Amino acid sequence: MLDLQHAAAFLPRVNIMADSDYAVSEGSDICIVTAGARQREGESRLSLLGRNLSLFKSIIPQLVRYSPDTILLIVSNPVDILTYLSWKISGFPPNRVIGTGTNLDSSRLRFLIADKFDVNAHNVHGYMVGEHGDSSVPLWSTLTIANMPVLSICDKDGVKYSRESLQELHKMVVGGAYEVIKLKGYTSWAIGYSTASLVKSLLRDQRRIHPVSVLAKGFYGIDKDVYLSLPSQLGRAGVLGVASVQMIEEERRKLHESSETIWDIQNQLQI
């Protein structure tokens, strides 16, 4: 708190508070949960789950108690299952419980594509969906640069890509967080910017579409109560809707496999 307060001269006027009493959060429009055990080098996000479950069971009821109309935005990993747990504990409608999901994964992918083609990442459009983790699904069939399909153009070195050759980029996206953790012990800047972009869309009612972790049942043929990332429109009421993005059969199959991965773990934990 003090470290942030000392930057007051460089910031818009803002009131920064910290407390161990949840009452300080009373009446919040949005509650962002980043608490959790730190991911170790080489540790999967799902292996973090056991260490974080009990923590969430103490945090979420307190946030709900003091801010019954808030939006819960979950950042802690494994984000999909912890967002599902937060939904179950809170009793909130699913549109007000959201996980950061693959919003950051999609940004990592856009950065890698932008670097290959020597363009600004703002001009790369596409999503990663599914689990925020090893079973995430890049939607290669709809990935574009300035409205041109990536699969139909050559990069700055004259290389043309296929779905198979692009798989190496997917591995880099999935391993991106692990590489940062290996180099500096934790991730912070990119996930911070990702979370800030979601908060702006929510509180400013921007109605932008982000790939975030939402209750997926009923979308794209998913028939189980799982949270995973789908392109979703965000506004002041939370999740306003899920975009119907075109997927080829292989992408849809992998999305279902991703949902099964999460479902199996939920069943093991009986949550």
Side-chain angles (χ1 to χ4, degrees):
M1 178 188 72
L2 290 173
D3 200 14
L4 289 168
Q5 286 177 336
H6 295 167
F10 314 118
L11 298 170
R13 189 172 184 274
V14 62
N15 186 17
I16 299 170
M17 298 180 292
D19 206 302
S20 58
D21 186 349
Y22 284 92
V24 75
S25 68
E26 186 173 7
S28 295
D29 292 323
I30 187 166
C31 292
I32 306 166
V33 184
T34 65
R38 180 177 290 182
Q39 191 172 2
R40 304 186 184 108
E41 181 181 338
E43 182 180 26
S44 74
R45 294 176 178 92
L46 291 177
S47 70
L48 278 174
L49 185 54
R51 294 195 283 153
N52 285 337
L53 278 177
S54 59
L55 186 62
F56 266 62
K57 288 177 181 178
S58 66
I59 291 173
I60 301 302
Q62 292 294 328
L63 296 178
V64 171
R65 175 186 174 190
Y66 289 105
S67 301
D69 298 316
T70 194
I71 293 171
L72 292 174
L73 180 59
I74 311 302
V75 183
S76 312
N77 278 314
V79 67
D80 302 298
I81 293 178
L82 290 178
T83 305
Y84 171 84
L85 180 67
S86 300
W87 170 56
K88 298 296 281 188
I89 293 172
S90 68
F92 282 1
N95 64 294
R96 288 202 284 126
V97 185
I98 307 163
T100 50
T102 57
N103 196 53
L104 177 53
D105 306 61
S106 299
S107 177
R108 287 177 176 139
L109 178 63
R110 291 169 66 188
F111 158 73
L112 291 170
I113 294 292
D115 186 57
K116 289 285 186 185
F117 287 84
D118 196 24
V119 298
N120 193 301
H122 285 278
N123 297 116
V124 180
H125 302 284
Y127 301 113
M128 291 186 64
V129 297
E131 179 206 355
H132 174 55
D134 299 343
S135 69
S136 60
V137 184
L139 301 183
W140 301 125
S141 63
T142 51
L143 184 66
T144 63
I145 299 174
N147 215 32
M148 296 180 292
V150 167
L151 292 172
S152 69
I153 56 178
C154 297
D155 71 8
K156 62 185 179 184
D157 298 318
V159 176
K160 192 170 183 179
Y161 291 91
S162 64
R163 290 188 184 87
E164 290 71 28
S165 58
L166 284 170
Q167 288 306 316
E168 189 60 34
L169 294 185
H170 181 223
K171 291 178 182 177
M172 293 172 69
V173 171
V174 171
Y178 302 136
E179 182 67 13
V180 174
I181 291 168
K182 179 181 177 181
L183 292 170
K184 76 169 198 173
Y186 58 92
T187 62
S188 57
W189 293 110
I191 186 58
Y193 274 108
S194 173
T195 303
S197 75
L198 298 177
V199 172
K200 287 179 182 177
S201 290
L202 289 162
L203 296 189
R204 297 180 182 177
D205 199 31
Q206 292 183 335
R207 298 175 180 253
R208 294 176 61 192
I209 294 175
H210 295 268
V212 290
S213 191
V214 297
L215 185 63
K217 186 175 183 179
F219 299 106
Y220 298 98
I222 297 168
D223 60 0
K224 295 180 173 65
D225 277 341
V226 293
Y227 264 77
L228 50 74
S229 287
L230 297 173
S232 306
Q233 187 182 47
L234 303 183
R236 192 61 190 83
V239 178
L240 305 180
V242 173
S244 181
V245 176
Q246 182 180 352
M247 295 184 197
I248 61 174
E249 185 56 37
E250 181 186 9
E251 293 166 346
R252 189 177 288 265
R253 176 179 57 78
K254 288 182 176 179
L255 177 62
H256 280 235
E257 289 173 357
S258 188
S259 72
E260 290 293 338
T261 297
I262 297 170
W263 178 252
D264 288 344
I265 294 166
Q266 286 179 187
N267 280 342
Q268 292 171 27
L269 296 166
Q270 297 181 338
I271 57 174

